[in-house]
Amino acid sequence: MTFEIQAECPETRARAGLLHTPHGTIETPVFMPVGTQATVKGLTQKDLAADLGVQILLANTYHLFLRPGHELILKMGGLHRFMSWPNAILTDSGGFQVFSLSGMRKIDDGGVVFQSHLNGDLHRFTPESTVDIQLAYGSDVLMVLDECPEYPVSHEYARDSMRRTVRWATEANHHFLRRMETMPTRHALFPIVQGSMFPDLRRDCAEALVELDTDGYAIGGLSVGEPRPLSLEAVEATEGILPRCKPRYAMGVGMPAELPEYVARGVDMMDCVLPSRNARNGYLFTSEGRVIIKHARYKDDEGPLDPKCTCYTCMSYSRAYLRHLFQSGEILYSVLATRHNIQRYLDIMREIRHAIISGSFPEYLKCVRSTCVEAESSPFGS
Ligand SMILES: [Zn+2]
């Protein structure tokens, strides 16, 4: 996997680039829709690839490990073939889900034992096993197993936890490089910068991980309940440490108005469940701000959801019809709403990329900050 920088903003750390993977080239900065169970809920793979232009999807190691299992996915020819997805796939390591979803978990230096949230079975993830699971999926970009502490934690806990994450990243990377010697396919492994909201720990962690000289770096432990300015500070702490020539991925962020803020801090890749989850809950992102579709004011609104959007939903249906579908609990509502919200996120990233390449990103950022139409906090979390 190679990363090519096409343009850099002279005033911020924003850059536009091309990430070349075995499953196509990705234009960055990029937003990756989340396909937790090897599907973005409500959309077909054709909707995603052909209509929305999605170049990379995220799938969750934890969920797919529990069901249907990595052995079955391997037997079915890997995740690309299993889910009929032609473009790139990034998988997380399962760390975040183990720490946020599983009923019980016990961490030791070698890994983590956890209880399935589906049936209570006990499983163990190690730095090596999560690499093997993701290679069975055939992911283009793999993540190392990390510990994702909740917020807030003490400095002492965050330090010990961060050191464990660095050790695990080192072990995962050794194992990954050994596996690569005998595999015919190419993959990339990203370690994850942790350290809770302590800038000194974030810096120490980034410095230690850069030693591994991997193909890219992720910044994790964000969107775990901390105030939003702290998430941005956690990213800023890595400034000047994570190498310029490698892609940087901020995990699990953010609201629409936050996307350019991360890009301004040198982030190239982001993922978030917000556009798809909020769509299903009736919370829609538009160029004019949020629309809560159940509100009575939309009941006879003949206009499109977002007059500036060119997605199929906005080109074909009225707010009144979308509201009716939502109120009736129709499946089509989720399909149309998800399609729009994902397109909105992709459009924002395309605007950002265009602004970086044309040299107008500082003005773009100023404009977003002054209007901030979508900065209201979401009632459904992130
Ligand atoms: Zn639309």
Side-chain angles (χ1 to χ4, degrees):
M1 200 183 77
T2 57
F3 183 56
E4 191 185 326
I5 295 173
Q6 296 173 291
E8 284 177 292
C9 172
E11 288 180 31
T12 70
R13 295 177 70 212
R15 65 262 189 92
L18 295 174
L19 184 61
H20 302 286
T21 80
H23 289 92
T25 293
I26 298 148
E27 294 176 329
T28 66
V30 66
F31 175 78
M32 304 181 282
V34 180
T36 302
Q37 308 276 6
T39 164
V40 176
K41 292 178 178 47
L43 298 181
T44 67
Q45 275 64 314
K46 177 176 171 286
D47 294 334
L48 290 161
D51 299 349
L52 294 170
V54 172
Q55 295 166 334
I56 179 167
L57 269 190
L58 183 141
N60 284 118
T61 291
Y62 169 90
H63 291 281
L64 296 174
F65 167 79
L66 294 180
R67 184 177 55 198
H70 62 294
E71 277 138 5
L72 181 115
I73 291 174
L74 179 63
K75 199 172 145 200
M76 301 305 289
L79 202 46
H80 290 89
R81 190 159 161 207
F82 182 51
M83 68 181 285
S84 188
W85 175 247
N87 300 339
I89 295 176
L90 179 148
T91 44
D92 61 8
S93 66
F96 180 81
Q97 280 75 24
V98 165
F99 293 101
S100 60
L101 282 182
S102 62
M104 181 283 282
R105 78 251 178 182
K106 197 169 177 304
I107 312 168
D108 57 63
D109 282 344
V112 55
V113 174
F114 62 94
Q115 196 173 24
S116 159
H117 76 286
L118 295 177
N119 58 12
D121 284 357
L122 289 180
H123 300 279
R124 181 173 172 81
F125 276 167
T126 69
E128 291 82 5
S129 77
T130 48
V131 164
D132 290 334
I133 293 164
Q134 294 174 80
L135 287 177
Y137 297 156
S139 308
D140 297 284
V141 184
L142 294 70
M143 294 292 136
V144 301
L145 182 65
D146 61 331
E147 183 187 349
C148 185
E150 52 202 31
Y151 175 84
V153 286
S154 69
H155 188 276
E156 192 188 1
Y157 185 90
R159 185 198 58 209
D160 292 347
S161 162
M162 177 276 279
R163 287 180 181 162
R164 187 181 295 121
T165 286
V166 170
R167 261 197 318 277
W168 284 357
T170 309
E171 288 161 18
N173 191 48
H174 282 157
H175 183 67
F176 172 76
L177 293 175
R178 266 200 308 274
R179 289 283 321 264
M180 282 304 98
E181 287 168 13
T182 55
M183 280 192 68
T185 48
R186 295 291 94 197
H187 309 266
L189 177 75
F190 287 13
I192 303 172
V193 178
Q194 289 286 357
S196 188
M197 299 305 145
F198 301 104
D200 61 317
L201 298 182
R202 289 272 170 185
R203 281 193 294 274
D204 289 352
C205 189
E207 275 167 9
L209 295 179
V210 166
E211 298 288 313
L212 301 178
D213 193 26
T214 48
D215 285 323
Y217 297 88
I219 303 167
L222 307 173
S223 300
V224 290
E226 76 281 10
R228 296 292 171 140
L230 288 187
S231 342
L232 291 173
E233 280 172 33
V235 174
E236 279 165 23
T238 63
E239 185 168 348
I241 302 173
L242 296 182
R244 172 184 168 275
C245 57
K246 303 281 179 74
R248 308 175 189 125
Y249 161 34
M251 305 178 80
V253 296
M255 287 290 280
E258 293 167 338
L259 304 179
E261 296 290 350
Y262 283 101
V263 172
R265 287 160 178 80
V267 168
D268 306 294
M269 306 163 74
M270 285 174 262
D271 77 283
C272 192
V273 294
L274 275 181
S276 41
R277 185 197 289 160
N278 282 11
R280 297 194 299 278
N281 287 318
Y283 189 105
L284 301 160
F285 299 108
T286 79
S287 59
E288 297 171 341
R290 66 176 181 189
V291 166
I292 296 171
I293 200 68
K294 72 173 179 199
H295 284 174
R297 78 177 85 143
Y298 303 122
K299 82 171 188 292
D300 55 358
D301 187 337
E302 290 185 328
L305 174 56
D306 182 345
K308 292 203 187 112
C309 180
T310 58
C311 83
Y312 169 68
T313 303
C314 293
M315 299 302 281
S316 316
Y317 303 100
S318 64
R319 288 174 166 186
Y321 182 62
L322 291 173
R323 180 176 184 274
H324 158 69
L325 294 178
F326 179 76
Q327 297 292 74
S328 314
E330 284 294 329
I331 291 169
L332 184 59
Y333 166 76
S334 295
V335 170
L336 296 175
T338 307
R339 196 168 175 128
H340 166 78
N341 266 6
I342 298 278
Q343 166 114 10
R344 177 75 194 129
Y345 267 62
L346 297 171
D347 281 350
I348 292 171
M349 297 312 279
R350 285 189 272 254
E351 281 168 23
I352 292 172
R353 189 176 143 79
H354 180 258
I356 298 168
I357 291 173
S358 66
S360 60
F361 183 72
E363 291 77 44
Y364 178 89
L365 188 60
K366 230 173 276 162
C367 178
V368 171
R369 282 174 180 166
S370 65
T371 52
C372 244
V373 288
E374 287 159 319
E376 314 100 297
S377 66
S378 155
F380 306 110
S382 60

